[in-house]
Amino acid sequence: MNAKRKTKNVLMLLCALILVLSTACSSGGKEGAAGGAKEGAKTAEETKLTENDPGWKVDTSPITFDWYINFAWFPHKWGDDLTSQYVTKKTGVSVNFIVPAGNEAEKMNAMIASGSLPDFITLGWTEDAVKKMIEGDLVLPLNELAKQYDPYFFKVTDPAKVSWYTQEDGNIYGYPNASSSPEDYKKFGDNINSTQTFLVRKDMYEALGKPDMRTPEGFLNALAAAKEKFPDVNGQPLIPLGMYDFHEKGNASLEGYLQNFLAVPYDKDGKLYDRTTDPEYVGWLKTMRQANEKGLLAKDIFIDKRPQMEEKIAQGRYFAMLYARTDLAAQQNVLYANDPNSVYIAVDGPANSNLDQPTLSGPSISGWTVTLISKDVKDKARAIRFLDYLISEEGQRDTFLGEKGVTWDTIEGKDQLLPEVAKLRDTDRDAFDKKYGASHKFWMLMDTNITPAWEPPAVEPFKQMVDWTIGKAKSFSQFDQLDPQGNSEEGIINTKVLQEWGKVLPKLVLSKSDQEFDQIWGDYLKKREELGFAKVQEYRQKKYEENVAKLAEFIK
C-alpha cells in the first residue's frame, strides 16, 4: 500500500471515529434519537415561543409518530382519508397506529414490562396501566415538555382538566378526550347529553304495543313477547337482550349502566355509597337471572366481543340493549338504509321501584381516554407541539371538519360539512371514514364541547336517541378516579376484588334459582371482605373528599 493511500485510509478512520463519538455525546446516552427532541430542535426560549404561539408551526418537516391505541376494535389507518392527509400536509406529522391484536391488558402490560413504549399512548383513564406508566417513569410530564418546547399548551388546555390530572409530584402526564369541566357544564349544560341508553328495535317494539319495560315484570314480559312474536331475524335467532361483553372484571351494562337507570346514588350524606349492594340493584340482577331461566338471555351475550356484537346489531338481531347509542352509529346507518323502521330507539328502561327518572352519566372531567407521551418519543418538541395542535380549536376543527373547500365550508354563516359529505356520513359511516375521515374518526383528543358548534342539528336515525337523554345527563366527576391503582396494598386488593366480581357476575345471572343466587352473593360479599375490601373503601372515601375539594375551586 503506498503512503498516499495509507494516509487517506487513516483519515477516513479518524473521521468515522469522530462521527461516532460526536453522535454519542449529542445523544447523551439514554436521551438521543429515542428519548429526546431531535438534534437541532429548538426550545421555546430559543424560538421565542409564547403561550399565544402555536408551536407546531416552527417545524413542519416530515415526521412519523407511532401511536398506540389500547382498543382492539379500532380499525383505522392514518393517511388513507382526506382529513388525515390534510393534517399531515399542514403539520408534517404522519401517524402509524398500533392496535393490540387480542387482549388489550396483556399487550399493555407486555409493553410496560419491556420498558419501551411507542411515541404516543391512548387508553382508558380507568386502566391500571396509566398509573404503572407514570410510576415506572415511562411517560413524560406534559407540563415540563410544554415549558421547554411549547407554552401554547397552557393556552389550549383547560386549567380544571390540567388540575384534575395533575399527580402528587405536581406533573400532568396525560390529557383527556370527551371531557367536560364544571365550566363546560355552565357553558353548554342545556345541550349536554349522555351516551347511555336503553334501546329497542323500533318496529318490534311498536308491534308489541310499546310495552312499559321499567318494572321487572314488564321487562321480562316484553322480552318474552319479542321472542315469541319474532323468533327469527332473517333466518337467524332473535337475541332478546343485548349488552356489553363479559370480561375479567365484570360487564359495563350490568354495572354502571343498570345502576344509573335505577338512579342508585353514588353517595349519601358525604359518604360514598356501596352501589353494588343496593337492594334495587341486587333485585334487578335477580331479574336478569329470571330472564336467563326463562330462556330470554341468548348464549351469545356471554361469549361475544364487540366485533361480533356490531355484526349482529347491523343485522338487527337484538330486540333490546343496554348500550351506548354512540357505539352503534355505523350499524344504525345500515339498518336505516335497509328499513327506517328497523332502527334502534331509546325508551324508558329498567327503573327503581319508585319509577324515578334515570341519572345517566354525562361527560365527566375525566373524559373517556387519556393520551400520554412516552419517554422513548423520537422527538419531544414535535410531539408536544402536535399534541397541543390537536387539543387546540384549530386542531379540533381540522380533525372534525377536514380541509376547507374540500370537506367543509361556511354555509349560511355556519362552518359545516359540505352537503354531500354530511350525507355520506349520515348514510354510510364506514364509507365516510374511508374517504373523508372527519367527524371524530380520530377521537383520541376530541373535545366534545367544541365540535357540536360545527354539527348540523341531529337527524334521524340518531336524533331521537340524543333527545331522549337530554335532561337525564348528570356530572359525576367527583366520583371519578377513586380506585387505587398500581402496586399499592389497596390497589392489589381492589384488583383481586374486581377479578372476583368478574367471575361471580355471570354465575349470578346463570344461577338456577334465587336461593342459589343468594348463596353465590353471600359468598362473594364474604370473600370481598376477606380480601380487605374495607381498606379499598377507606381509600376511595379519602380520594372522593379530595376530588370534591379539587373541583370546588372551579365551581365557584
Side-chain angles (χ1 to χ4, degrees):
M1 182 182 292
N2 61 39
K4 188 173 181 181
R5 177 180 287 182
K6 187 174 181 180
T7 301
K8 182 178 178 183
N9 286 345
V10 170
L11 286 171
M12 288 176 66
L13 185 63
L14 283 171
C15 286
L17 186 59
I18 290 168
L19 182 63
V20 168
L21 288 172
S22 65
T23 301
C25 292
S26 68
S27 296
K30 183 179 175 182
E31 278 295 314
K38 73 175 183 181
E39 188 177 352
K42 294 184 178 180
T43 65
E45 187 176 354
E46 290 171 326
T47 52
K48 296 183 170 57
L49 286 172
T50 70
E51 286 191 12
N52 295 315
D53 303 314
W56 64 267
K57 294 183 177 181
V58 169
D59 184 355
T60 58
S61 61
I63 187 171
T64 299
F65 285 115
D66 293 327
W67 194 321
Y68 176 76
I69 309 292
N70 196 43
F71 296 93
W73 51 261
F74 183 74
H76 302 304
K77 303 292 183 187
W78 185 273
D80 63 357
D81 59 80
L82 292 173
T83 294
S84 58
Q85 290 166 14
Y86 170 60
V87 171
T88 295
K89 179 175 70 173
K90 182 173 183 175
T91 66
V93 177
S94 296
V95 175
N96 171 43
F97 286 121
I98 301 168
V99 179
N103 184 286
E104 290 97 341
E106 288 179 5
K107 174 68 174 177
M108 195 74 247
N109 287 334
M111 289 196 303
I112 291 171
S114 75
S116 179
L117 297 170
D119 302 306
F120 289 88
I121 308 100
T122 294
L123 71 169
W125 67 258
T126 59
E127 298 293 330
D128 287 345
V130 176
K131 196 79 170 173
K132 289 178 182 176
M133 287 187 285
I134 293 171
E135 291 176 347
D137 294 326
L138 297 176
V139 287
L140 298 172
L142 302 182
N143 52 303
E144 293 297 335
L145 289 176
K147 287 177 189 172
Q148 188 171 5
Y149 297 111
D150 195 26
Y152 192 50
F153 174 86
F154 300 107
K155 179 177 182 179
V156 299
T157 53
D158 184 321
K161 295 170 191 175
V162 171
S163 173
W164 183 255
Y165 273 103
T166 294
Q167 303 295 311
E168 291 179 3
D169 64 2
N171 293 320
I172 174 174
Y173 295 88
Y175 198 76
N177 75 348
S179 164
S180 287
S181 66
E183 189 62 30
D184 290 327
Y185 267 83
K186 287 179 194 172
K187 284 184 190 174
F188 311 108
D190 291 343
N191 296 316
I192 285 180
N193 52 61
S194 176
T195 62
Q196 295 184 332
T197 42
F198 179 68
L199 304 168
V200 291
R201 197 173 131 163
K202 183 176 184 289
D203 50 2
M204 294 181 182
Y205 183 69
E206 291 176 350
L208 296 174
K210 300 183 180 180
D212 186 343
M213 300 182 70
R214 294 177 296 169
T215 65
E217 183 182 18
F219 180 81
L220 292 172
N221 287 343
L223 295 185
K227 184 178 180 181
E228 182 180 356
K229 192 172 182 68
F230 307 100
D232 298 300
V233 178
N234 296 324
Q236 299 277 1
L238 177 80
I239 304 171
L241 180 66
M243 60 184 72
Y244 282 102
D245 60 299
F246 284 84
H247 54 83
E248 66 171 3
K249 294 180 182 178
N251 181 301
S253 297
L254 294 180
E255 294 163 14
Y257 273 63
L258 181 55
Q259 290 163 358
N260 286 353
F261 267 86
L262 302 178
V264 177
Y266 282 81
D267 67 340
K268 289 186 177 181
D269 301 322
K271 295 293 182 184
L272 285 178
Y273 181 58
D274 186 359
R275 303 180 91 206
T276 305
T277 58
D278 180 82
E280 299 269 9
Y281 173 62
V282 176
W284 268 92
L285 286 183
K286 285 189 174 181
T287 300
M288 296 296 173
R289 187 207 72 74
Q290 290 176 315
N292 183 66
E293 185 179 29
K294 292 174 181 292
L296 302 174
L297 297 186
K299 291 179 181 177
D300 309 53
I301 68 172
F302 296 98
I303 55 175
D304 282 351
K305 299 299 180 187
R306 185 153 165 181
Q308 291 79 37
M309 294 178 63
E310 289 179 348
E311 181 180 349
K312 289 169 183 175
I313 294 169
Q315 295 167 348
R317 288 184 59 194
Y318 298 100
F319 164 61
M321 302 184 76
L322 262 171
Y323 204 69
R325 58 179 177 77
T326 49
D327 283 350
L328 49 67
Q331 296 76 37
Q332 181 85 327
N333 273 327
V334 172
L335 294 169
Y336 191 70
N338 292 335
D339 178 1
N341 284 317
S342 71
V343 299
Y344 287 94
I345 58 171
V347 299
D348 293 338
N352 61 33
S353 52
N354 292 327
L355 301 183
D356 292 325
Q357 181 170 277
T359 52
L360 306 178
S361 290
S364 75
I365 196 166
S366 293
W368 168 32
T369 67
V370 287
T371 294
L372 309 93
I373 295 177
S374 162
K375 70 172 178 59
D376 300 310
V377 67
K378 58 177 62 74
D379 189 325
K380 290 181 183 178
R382 294 292 295 280
I384 187 64
R385 290 167 184 168
F386 187 57
L387 183 87
D388 296 343
Y389 157 74
L390 292 174
I391 293 170
S392 72
E393 184 169 337
E394 181 178 9
Q396 293 293 317
R397 184 190 301 272
D398 290 347
T399 52
F400 188 79
L401 291 176
E403 184 175 8
K404 187 170 186 180
V406 177
T407 51
W408 72 276
D409 215 326
T410 305
I411 304 169
E412 296 180 356
K414 180 183 174 77
D415 295 346
Q416 56 186 295
L417 294 174
L418 296 171
E420 65 272 19
V421 178
K423 182 179 180 182
L424 184 62
R425 184 191 67 172
D426 294 338
T427 55
D428 191 338
R429 180 73 205 209
D430 288 339
F432 171 86
D433 284 341
K434 287 172 184 170
K435 183 172 183 179
Y436 297 117
S439 193
H440 295 321
K441 174 182 176 178
F442 304 108
W443 42 257
M444 297 81 207
L445 287 156
M446 65 180 178
D447 187 330
T448 46
N449 296 300
I450 291 178
T451 55
W454 306 314
E455 281 274 25
V459 296
E460 299 305 353
F462 306 104
K463 183 178 187 303
Q464 187 275 341
M465 294 191 290
V466 175
D467 290 348
W468 183 86
T469 70
I470 292 176
K472 301 179 180 76
K474 310 293 179 186
S475 173
F476 296 122
S477 292
Q478 65 270 39
F479 304 105
D480 282 351
Q481 304 195 25
L482 299 182
D483 287 345
Q485 295 178 328
N487 295 318
S488 66
E489 181 186 7
E490 295 88 351
I492 293 168
I493 293 169
N494 192 50
T495 298
K496 290 179 179 177
V497 169
L498 289 173
Q499 288 172 340
E500 187 65 24
W501 174 247
K503 296 174 188 172
V504 164
L505 182 57
K507 289 180 181 177
L508 291 170
V509 176
L510 293 167
S511 56
K512 299 288 192 294
S513 66
D514 280 355
Q515 291 75 18
E516 185 181 340
F517 180 104
D518 290 339
Q519 181 64 50
I520 295 169
W521 183 251
D523 290 345
Y524 165 69
L525 294 181
K526 183 179 177 184
K527 179 71 178 287
R528 192 176 72 161
E529 292 309 314
E530 289 172 353
L531 288 170
F533 185 62
K535 289 185 178 179
V536 175
Q537 288 297 76
E538 185 179 338
Y539 176 94
R540 296 178 84 243
Q541 177 66 30
K542 181 170 177 281
K543 292 296 291 183
Y544 163 63
E545 292 169 4
E546 289 174 2
N547 285 353
V548 171
K550 191 183 285 188
L551 286 171
E553 176 187 348
F554 299 99
I555 295 174
K556 290 174 185 175

